[in-house]
Amino acid sequence: MTGDHRILTLTGLAKGCLEPLLAGGVLAVRVPGFTDPAEAHRMAHRLVAHPSLSAYRNTPELVRVGESHYETHDVDGSKNVRALAEYLRNADTLMEEIRVCCALSLSPLDVLWRDLDAFYGLERARIDNQPMFAGVCRIFPEGSELLPHNDRLSRDAPGLPLGRELDAQLAANIYLQVPERGGELQLWDLRPDEAQLAAWSASCSEYGTDRALVPPPSCALPVTAGDLVLIDATKLHAVSRQEQGSRIGLSCFLGLRHGRPIVCWS
């Protein structure tokens, strides 16, 4: 354990490693040095030079390599058929390009998925039998932040049967570069319903809540390059402002279903 009993720090993933998080006994599982920091730095350098690097379609303050399923919806939450088709069509190509940026080492995402597959079974989530993209690279430029929010596939894709099948939705983040100051992961032991989220909604954001309206976070987790952090995505979480420098990481969602393999997507 770390000094904060709400963060479980492990030397590596093992059988049963997700259970404390699923039971609600901790707010995060952290594996320091999951990726060698020097290798992480090299991967970050190559990813920020990727030709597809661009702003999120509906969160322009952040940029990414790869695509997020969240981007396949318009401002009113309705499905954008063209964006969804492009997301599915590009999935395999973008995943392979991110792997190339991680060579000569095995992609940290592939290491994560390999380990989870060994302990729980794992497969990519699908839409209409087409595999979803998994493993987006997110870049938080200096001055940016991620407002308090939570993630639920059942809300983001209400017509997708998978969203109704999930018993839990986790988020996995692998940090390749962290800012010199700021950029802490903020966690709440709070799972707000849709009415509460609407009441806290930030007028300047399509996804987030107003920091002045939500309670203070339960804890703030400083992270270092190479760390893996797993959290319950359905609980409120945020990233504080990058005060000096930028944050670069790889991330995906993990959906758990009783007696079935974990599914991953971004």
Side-chain angles (χ1 to χ4, degrees):
M1 286 283 195
T2 65
D4 191 327
H5 69 277
R6 293 161 294 191
I7 308 300
L8 175 61
T9 299
L10 304 174
T11 57
L13 297 180
K15 187 175 181 180
C17 60
L18 301 182
E19 273 60 28
L21 189 58
L22 298 173
V26 299
L27 293 179
V29 173
R30 180 186 180 211
V31 183
F34 184 79
T35 299
D36 178 78
E39 289 292 297
H41 175 77
R42 185 181 56 78
M43 293 174 194
H45 180 76
R46 296 183 69 175
L47 282 162
V48 296
H50 194 277
S52 75
L53 181 70
S54 57
Y56 272 79
R57 180 171 171 265
N58 42 16
T59 313
E61 64 269 28
L62 305 179
V63 293
R64 82 290 193 260
V65 178
E67 297 176 355
S68 166
H69 178 262
Y70 172 70
E71 299 178 79
T72 67
H73 292 79
D74 291 326
V75 175
D76 62 1
S78 61
K79 180 171 69 176
N80 184 305
V81 175
R82 178 182 293 180
L84 178 60
E86 182 178 1
Y87 165 83
L88 294 171
R89 181 173 62 251
N90 294 337
D92 287 345
T93 299
L94 287 170
M95 288 179 69
E96 188 56 37
E97 289 180 1
I98 289 172
R99 286 190 176 98
V100 169
C101 287
C102 294
L104 303 165
S105 296
L106 189 64
S107 162
L109 289 162
D110 285 326
V111 175
L112 171 66
W113 296 331
R114 179 198 65 194
D115 291 350
L116 291 176
D117 186 38
F119 305 132
Y120 296 94
L122 181 135
E123 60 192 26
R124 279 166 64 188
R126 291 176 173 266
I127 296 178
D128 296 332
N129 207 35
Q130 298 183 72
M132 297 175 70
F133 173 81
V136 67
C137 172
R138 299 188 298 176
I139 293 93
F140 291 70
E142 185 172 300
S144 67
E145 64 177 321
L146 194 63
L147 293 176
H149 70 287
N150 71 350
D151 302 285
R152 287 193 185 96
L153 184 61
S154 58
R155 178 185 62 217
D156 295 337
L160 188 64
L162 177 62
R164 298 188 295 271
E165 296 173 5
L166 299 182
D167 297 312
Q169 181 174 333
L170 307 182
N173 292 285
I174 301 168
Y175 297 88
L176 304 180
Q177 176 180 303
V178 297
E180 295 176 39
R181 186 161 51 89
E184 291 184 325
L185 176 60
Q186 299 172 318
L187 302 172
W188 283 257
D189 194 4
L190 179 64
R191 189 179 288 112
D193 59 24
E194 297 307 306
Q196 186 65 79
L197 288 170
W200 289 339
S201 178
S203 59
C204 61
S205 173
E206 292 180 19
Y207 72 90
T209 60
D210 187 332
R211 288 186 180 275
L213 299 177
V214 302
S218 302
C219 67
L221 176 60
V223 292
T224 59
D227 285 3
L228 163 68
V229 176
L230 300 159
I231 65 170
D232 183 338
T234 67
K235 291 186 176 181
L236 209 63
H237 55 280
V239 176
S240 66
R241 188 175 301 277
Q242 326 306 301
E243 300 291 350
Q244 183 178 352
S246 59
R247 166 182 153 173
I248 303 170
L250 299 166
S251 68
C252 70
F253 290 118
L254 301 168
L256 284 85
R257 306 166 294 173
H258 182 69
R260 301 174 66 184
I262 292 174
V263 288
C264 63
W265 76 95
S266 291

